[in-house]
Amino acid sequence: MTNGTMRSFWERNEASGGRLLKVTAKKYALSFFRAVLLFGMCFMILQPILNKISLSFMAEKDLYDTTIVVIPKHFSVSNWKIASYIINYKVSLLNTIWVSLLVSVIEVIMCTFVGYGFSRFDFPFKRFWFLCVILLIIIPPQTISTSLYLHFRYFKFFGHTINLKGSMLPYFMMCFTCMGLKNGLYIFMIRQYFLSFPFELEEACYVDGCGPFATFFRIMIPGAKPIITSCFLFSFVWQWTDSFYANLFLGKIQLLARSVGSLTDRLSTYMSRAQGGGNVSVPPAFAGAINSSAVLLIVLPLIVLYLFCQRLFVESLASTGVKG
């Protein structure tokens, strides 16, 4: 502040009986507290990621050097090469892409139908079924893992017992019945979004001769693009990093999350083969560096997807003349 501004401030403060100084001090104190809180939260989120990036580029001798904290002395990409080889990155990446994409599309389609039904139609035991949706959000899927395993391991089909474990059929069946990963949350989000639509809009469509399905596809779906897109992105990312359902059902399909889960055992086998056989003890620091590289190999495609979606969003805003 200039001297004139300072004098004006103190004059106004004196005229207000000291109230202006209290309000200004409170404002700056809250801003400082907010800045410290945001910095702390960002540091807690970013610090583990930065540590993994640092470890992934360290040579093995740097891992045991106590003078190195963040920046490696001997920059190396050997950890990335080893991690990529162990998890069979190309095959795992392609499998993860098509599985995540297919599952996400099915989940979003089915959850959109169910969420719209809960928001607009009355049917028997509606509140009970919506309570089941809430329980699907609250109860962890691990609590029913044994039941799911036994159900699909000894699946009854017209009096015959079929083993569906190790195929995509159990997962598809769960997705089509809205029992997949986080489906309860998607139904709840879509239902709440459709509840914000005015009922008069549908009544006008009915007067114009549209039936429930025509109204749903022509009016409601175009207006629900934001929530559908959000649910699709959530579903894709969660499916990308999921290992619980993948281990339970998709045993024959090599995915990134499953490969990283068994990375330690695979690393021991790799080290044993590299040294000509025998039992090999993998140093914990070296195993941590390889694991960090593998985790980054999983996260990197998601970052690329985020940047791509952000670019599409900005371009769509520019085409419509809206400033982002």
Side-chain angles (χ1 to χ4, degrees):
M1 295 183 181
T2 61
N3 293 334
T5 306
M6 287 291 295
R7 285 197 297 269
S8 176
F9 173 81
W10 290 113
E11 290 173 358
R12 288 185 288 119
N13 179 63
E14 185 178 355
S16 63
R19 175 174 168 75
L20 179 61
L21 179 61
K22 294 180 181 179
V23 172
T24 305
K26 182 179 179 181
K27 174 184 175 181
Y28 283 106
L30 288 175
S31 299
F32 177 77
F33 176 76
R34 190 184 301 115
V36 172
L37 183 63
L38 290 174
F39 175 79
M41 293 176 62
C42 292
F43 179 78
M44 291 176 61
I45 295 173
L46 295 178
Q47 192 264 344
I49 299 176
L50 296 177
N51 283 344
K52 290 184 180 299
I53 295 175
S54 176
L55 286 174
S56 67
F57 288 109
M58 286 186 183
E60 187 174 0
K61 55 185 175 181
D62 288 353
L63 299 172
Y64 312 107
D65 191 343
T66 57
T67 62
I68 298 176
V69 179
V70 177
I71 302 176
K73 290 182 179 180
H74 304 89
F75 184 86
S76 174
V77 294
S78 60
N79 295 332
W80 291 75
K81 293 180 180 179
I82 295 174
S84 177
Y85 175 80
I86 292 176
I87 65 177
N88 197 4
Y89 187 65
K90 292 182 179 179
V91 175
S92 299
L93 179 63
L94 292 176
N95 288 340
T96 305
I97 289 175
W98 75 262
V99 168
S100 300
L101 187 62
L102 184 60
V103 168
S104 300
V105 170
I106 295 174
E107 286 182 344
V108 170
I109 291 175
M110 301 310 298
C111 290
T112 302
F113 276 109
V114 175
Y116 179 71
F118 273 115
S119 66
R120 284 300 191 264
F121 300 104
D122 290 324
F123 47 87
F125 305 106
K126 178 180 178 179
R127 293 187 177 182
F128 169 76
W129 293 120
F130 190 69
L131 175 62
C132 293
V133 172
I134 300 300
L135 293 178
L136 191 61
I137 301 174
I138 298 174
I139 298 177
Q142 289 80 0
T143 58
I144 58 173
S145 60
T146 304
S147 300
L148 289 175
Y149 176 85
L150 294 176
H151 178 70
F152 290 111
R153 173 61 181 83
Y154 305 99
F155 188 78
K156 300 294 183 180
F157 185 75
F158 292 105
H160 299 281
T161 301
I162 305 175
N163 180 15
L164 297 180
K165 187 178 179 295
S167 67
M168 288 290 294
L169 285 177
Y171 216 178
F172 285 156
M173 294 169 67
M174 293 185 65
C175 292
F176 276 111
T177 55
C178 295
M179 282 294 294
L181 182 63
K182 307 289 185 180
N183 282 186
L185 178 62
Y186 308 147
I187 294 173
F188 180 80
M189 292 171 60
I190 294 172
R191 170 191 179 264
Q192 295 303 114
Y193 192 87
F194 278 130
L195 284 177
S196 64
F197 280 55
F199 286 88
E200 292 78 10
L201 182 64
E202 290 171 289
E203 293 175 356
C205 296
Y206 295 152
V207 171
D208 291 338
C210 290
F213 282 98
T215 302
F216 175 70
F217 286 107
R218 295 182 180 180
I219 305 299
M220 307 304 287
I221 290 295
K225 286 182 179 179
I227 190 63
I228 292 176
T229 304
S230 299
C231 289
F232 173 79
L233 292 177
F234 281 136
S235 177
F236 186 86
V237 172
W238 275 323
Q239 180 59 43
W240 186 279
T241 57
D242 172 63
S243 60
F244 173 74
Y245 283 109
N247 290 327
L248 192 61
F249 300 122
L250 312 180
K252 296 181 179 180
I253 301 177
Q254 190 172 0
L255 302 176
L256 287 175
R258 294 184 66 247
S259 300
V260 174
S262 59
L263 184 65
T264 304
D265 296 333
R266 296 188 179 192
L267 181 59
S268 300
T269 305
Y270 171 82
M271 294 289 292
S272 177
R273 291 177 179 175
Q275 297 184 14
N279 294 328
V280 178
S281 177
V282 181
F286 181 67
I290 300 299
N291 184 72
S292 298
S293 302
V295 171
L296 292 174
L297 286 173
I298 294 179
V299 175
L300 189 61
L302 295 179
I303 297 176
V304 174
L305 175 64
Y306 167 76
L307 295 176
F308 177 73
C309 293
Q310 187 182 41
R311 181 178 179 181
L312 289 180
F313 179 71
V314 172
E315 290 179 353
S316 64
L317 290 180
S319 64
T320 56
V322 179
K323 295 182 179 180

